[in-house]
């Protein structure tokens, strides 16, 4: 795996809220984005909508839409998986033969069915670990972007109000993902090996609980890694 700058990515599940928000943020930073969907026509239409939206912000975005398989093939090196947890394993199984020499960025959180304020972790311990086990060690899996809300990503009038915790067993792959994330104007931190995803993924339902609480005077909050105050 070379250590070049990543200038193009595929987002599988790119027609969903999280995928569209990431596509907007990445395209705005100059990254070429391919949206992958089970419905390539929907991916193509979504891509056109996002390009038109960014044109109103004087950004000539490079966003295209393809099938999941073709988007994975078209990815430079990073493939972001942004699908509902219920379809996670089946999607990966279908794409696994196409992920050779690529890095999978898994942003999926195992929210409990019918209860987004809880998680149901897979047997492997986390979705990130489950993906790594499914793909094998020859395809690096990096867990990232679990704790930033789709609404925040899609609101281009505001900066991303969340630091990003990144985990995985391949350090070079993690550094590539961290560099890509920081293109979007936020900070990424190396949070350790893949098993750190057990903690990171579990933060999301806590944030959801806080963000819908009537006792909290804001919504769409993120997390920050705060340095000590200067004295």
């Amino acid at each position: 795996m070379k250590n070049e700058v990543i200038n193009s990515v595929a987002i599988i599940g790119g027609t969903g809220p999280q995928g569209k928000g990431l596509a907007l943020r990445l395209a705005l930073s100059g990254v070429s984005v391919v949206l992958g969907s089970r419905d390539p026509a929907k991916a193509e239409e979504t891509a056109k909508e996002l390009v038109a939206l960014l044109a109103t912000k004087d950004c000539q975005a490079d966003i295209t839409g393809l099938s999941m398989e073709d988007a994975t093939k078209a990815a430079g090196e990073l493939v972001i998986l942004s699908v509902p947890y219920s379809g996670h394993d089946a999607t990966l199984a279908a794409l696994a033969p196409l992920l050779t020499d690529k890095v999978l960025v898994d942003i999926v959180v195992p929210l409990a069915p019918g209860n987004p304020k809880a998680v149901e972790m897979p047997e492997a311990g986390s979705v990130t670990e489950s993906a790594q086990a499914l793909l094998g060690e020859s395809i690096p899996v990096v867990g990232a972007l679990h704790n930033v809300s789709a609404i925040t990503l899609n609101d281009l009038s505001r900066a991303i109000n969340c630091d990003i915790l990144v985990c995985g067993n391949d350090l070079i792959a993690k550094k590539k993902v961290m560099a890509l994330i920081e293109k979007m104007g936020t900070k990424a931190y190396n949070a350790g090996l893949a098993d750190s995803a057990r903690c990171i993924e579990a933060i999301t339902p806590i944030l959801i609980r806080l963000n819908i609480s009537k006792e909290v005077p804001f919504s769409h909050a993120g997390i920050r890694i705060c340095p000590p105050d200067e004295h």
Side-chain angles (χ1 to χ4, degrees):
M1 209 182 307
K2 299 177 182 178
N3 196 24
E4 76 274 10
V5 175
I6 301 296
N7 292 315
S8 65
V9 301
I11 303 176
I12 307 305
T15 61
Q18 202 88 7
K20 288 193 289 188
L22 283 173
L24 287 170
R25 296 281 180 171
L26 289 169
L28 198 58
S29 71
V31 176
S32 297
V33 178
V34 185
L35 305 180
S37 173
R38 294 184 184 278
D39 182 349
K42 182 178 180 181
E44 184 177 2
E45 182 61 30
T46 300
K48 290 178 181 177
E49 291 172 0
L50 298 183
V51 168
L53 174 60
L54 289 175
T56 67
K57 301 183 179 298
D58 297 321
C59 173
Q60 294 184 340
D62 181 8
I63 307 174
T64 53
L66 298 169
S67 69
M68 295 193 308
E69 294 81 3
D70 287 343
T72 301
K73 293 175 187 176
E77 188 175 348
L78 298 187
V79 176
I80 300 173
L81 186 61
S82 176
V83 298
Y85 177 52
S86 59
H88 177 272
D89 289 2
T91 301
L92 269 192
L95 297 180
L98 308 175
L99 288 168
T100 302
D101 296 326
K102 300 184 189 292
V103 174
L104 181 78
V105 186
D106 204 321
I107 75 171
V108 178
V109 175
L111 296 176
N115 182 13
K117 296 183 289 184
V119 287
E120 287 188 3
M121 289 299 189
E123 185 177 347
S126 66
V127 175
T128 301
E129 292 170 280
S130 182
Q132 189 67 82
L134 193 155
L135 294 176
E137 292 301 322
S138 63
I139 300 173
V141 175
V142 176
L145 295 158
H146 298 106
N147 309 137
V148 56
S149 83
I151 290 176
T152 294
L153 288 172
N154 281 278
D155 184 359
L156 298 182
S157 69
R158 301 171 182 243
I160 296 174
N161 64 331
C162 186
D163 292 332
I164 309 300
L165 301 177
V166 178
C167 62
N169 298 333
D170 187 306
L171 180 59
I172 294 175
K174 279 191 289 189
K175 287 185 175 181
K176 289 178 182 293
V177 175
M178 291 167 68
L180 181 75
I181 289 168
E182 293 189 348
K183 278 178 172 280
M184 295 188 290
T186 192
K187 180 67 178 173
Y189 289 91
N190 181 356
L193 299 178
D195 59 7
S196 294
R198 302 177 189 187
C199 300
I200 299 168
E201 292 171 18
I203 292 173
T204 298
I206 297 172
L207 288 172
I208 291 173
R209 181 181 292 273
L210 291 173
N211 285 331
I212 64 177
S213 171
K214 294 180 180 179
E215 298 179 5
V216 178
F218 49 78
S219 61
H220 315 306
I223 59 171
R224 292 284 194 201
I225 305 302
C226 297
D229 292 336
E230 295 290 340
H231 294 291

